[in-house]
Amino acid sequence: MARNDGPGPELRENLVYLLKHAQQRMAELLADALKPHGIEGRELGVMLTLAGREPMSQQQAAQRLGIDRTTMVALLDALEGKGLVSRHPDADDRRRNVVELTGAGRETLRLAMAASAEAERVFLTPVSPRTAQELRGALQVIVFQPDGRDS
Amino acid sequence: MARNDGPGPELRENLVYLLKHAQQRMAELLADALKPHGIEGRELGVMLTLAGREPMSQQQAAQRLGIDRTTMVALLDALEGKGLVSRHPDADDRRRNVVELTGAGRETLRLAMAASAEAERVFLTPVSPRTAQELRGALQVIVFQPDGRDS
DNA sequence: GCTGATTATCAGCTATACTGACGATCAGGC
DNA sequence: GCCTGATCGTCAGTATAGCTGATAATCAGC
């Protein structure tokens, strides 16, 4: 995004503005941190979804991530091309592709998770660890219980 | 965005994921709140930047907002088409356009700011007012003093 | 063994925001 | 005064992310 001279006081209070720019900064930090490992942010999301779980279909993975199934196709094409995930038809339901991390995928994921944690650390540098935890907690509540119902 | 069944525990902790989805929800709430007033979120950002200040050039406004000058052209085309802002050449520097809110623009901005505040209130429903203030404060620090230098 | 639903895939569309090029204009050196 | 380089607004083209709609293969219920 273009250079930002700093907005007027009206926008400094604006949540859309703050969230958008915070998200953008975090995404840039993550992209830089992941570059050495040859993946991008959304691909890490896919790999995290696939990790430590039963194998799942593309559709299931897409729903978990909150992305469209057609978007998942392109993401998996890229990851499969890098040898990080494998697709093969489900024996029980041959419409489905079972998607799994490969060995290389698990290793890359391990390194990428460390890089991601470091990017988050940099992102959170200007606030105290306590504030950082409150920030994460508040976002979790807002994203996962937006109607105030308890989980 | 597509339906989200809820991610695994790895992603629930992930700041990029949380920020992206929080930003998306806030943007949707704002878009709905602004629809009756005939403007969208980015247009409110432009109008807030133009409000209560000396008239400024398109470039200055763009830098304040952190968007590209070419993006500003299209945004102002729309706002001018709705009669909410006026452009006219700067007498002192005829390369520049002086951009100002019209009377209708100021009135729309007044209503839109109320709608925006209400959208933020809905967004923050699941957290306490105190947590909401901490969230806003933490984001401000991260966005405006990302290197930890004091303002 | 039909009929309707589901899965993965693909083409095409939309929204957003950028880069690069252009003409008009300004500012500084001479 | 005049040339050179920089700046401003504009436009065309490009890139990215994500969607809709259509299609072929497959499944499940009757």
Side-chain angles (χ1 to χ4, degrees):
Chain A
M1 172 170 280
R3 166 157 172 262
N4 188 339
D5 277 1
E10 314 83 359
L11 274 170
R12 296 178 82 92
E13 292 285 327
N14 190 294
L15 271 184
V16 179
Y17 180 94
L18 290 170
L19 285 167
K20 177 171 180 182
H21 287 263
Q23 194 270 327
Q24 224 148 43
R25 172 160 164 80
M26 183 68 246
E28 278 169 23
L29 288 172
L30 181 64
D32 289 347
L34 292 180
K35 196 168 268 176
H37 306 295
I39 63 171
E40 53 180 80
R42 296 179 308 154
E43 293 173 342
L44 174 57
V46 173
M47 293 176 75
L48 282 170
T49 300
L50 296 178
R53 209 187 305 275
E54 322 277 280
M56 69 179 82
S57 73
Q58 298 186 191
Q59 185 109 243
Q60 288 170 326
Q63 284 173 358
R64 289 241 181 214
L65 253 181
I67 65 177
D68 195 82
R69 84 218 131 106
T70 63
T71 304
M72 180 61 74
V73 171
L75 283 170
L76 289 175
D77 284 349
L79 287 169
E80 195 177 33
K82 296 173 194 168
L84 302 178
V85 308
S86 68
R87 278 195 268 213
H88 59 270
D90 185 334
D92 295 341
D93 182 346
R94 300 219 309 282
R95 291 170 303 183
R96 303 188 173 197
N97 275 345
V98 175
V99 187
E100 288 175 289
L101 289 178
T102 63
R106 272 186 291 274
E107 175 62 7
T108 295
L109 176 57
R110 200 178 59 75
L111 299 171
M113 285 175 71
S116 170
E118 171 62 11
E120 292 195 1
R121 195 195 60 72
V122 172
F123 177 81
L124 293 169
T125 294
V127 301
S128 71
R130 193 178 112 77
T131 302
Q133 261 320 107
E134 287 171 351
L135 173 63
R136 207 186 295 265
L139 290 174
Q140 282 176 349
V141 172
I142 288 169
V143 171
F144 297 121
Q145 289 105 38
D147 303 318
R149 67 181 184 281
D150 41 26
S151 64
Chain B
M1 169 170 279
R3 166 157 175 262
N4 188 338
D5 278 1
E10 315 83 0
L11 275 170
R12 296 179 81 95
E13 292 285 327
N14 190 293
L15 272 185
V16 178
Y17 181 93
L18 290 171
L19 285 167
K20 177 170 180 185
H21 284 79
Q23 194 270 328
Q24 224 149 45
R25 172 160 164 80
M26 183 69 247
E28 278 169 22
L29 288 172
L30 181 64
D32 289 347
L34 291 180
K35 192 167 273 176
H37 306 294
I39 63 172
E40 52 179 82
R42 297 179 308 153
E43 294 173 340
L44 175 57
V46 173
M47 294 175 76
L48 282 171
T49 300
L50 297 179
R53 208 187 305 276
E54 322 278 279
M56 68 179 81
S57 72
Q58 297 186 191
Q59 185 106 249
Q60 289 170 326
Q63 283 174 359
R64 289 238 181 214
L65 252 181
I67 65 176
D68 194 82
R69 83 213 134 108
T70 63
T71 305
M72 181 60 74
V73 171
L75 282 170
L76 289 176
D77 284 349
L79 286 170
E80 196 178 31
K82 296 174 196 168
L84 303 178
V85 308
S86 68
R87 279 195 269 213
H88 60 269
D90 185 334
D92 295 340
D93 183 346
R94 300 217 309 281
R95 292 171 301 182
R96 301 188 175 198
N97 277 344
V98 176
V99 187
E100 289 175 290
L101 289 179
T102 63
R106 271 186 291 275
E107 174 62 7
T108 295
L109 175 56
R110 199 178 60 74
L111 299 172
M113 284 174 71
S116 171
E118 170 62 12
E120 291 196 2
R121 195 194 60 72
V122 172
F123 177 79
L124 293 169
T125 294
V127 301
S128 71
R130 193 177 113 74
T131 303
Q133 261 319 105
E134 287 170 352
L135 172 64
R136 206 186 297 263
L139 290 174
Q140 282 177 349
V141 172
I142 288 170
V143 171
F144 297 121
Q145 289 105 39
D147 303 320
R149 68 182 183 282
D150 41 27
S151 65

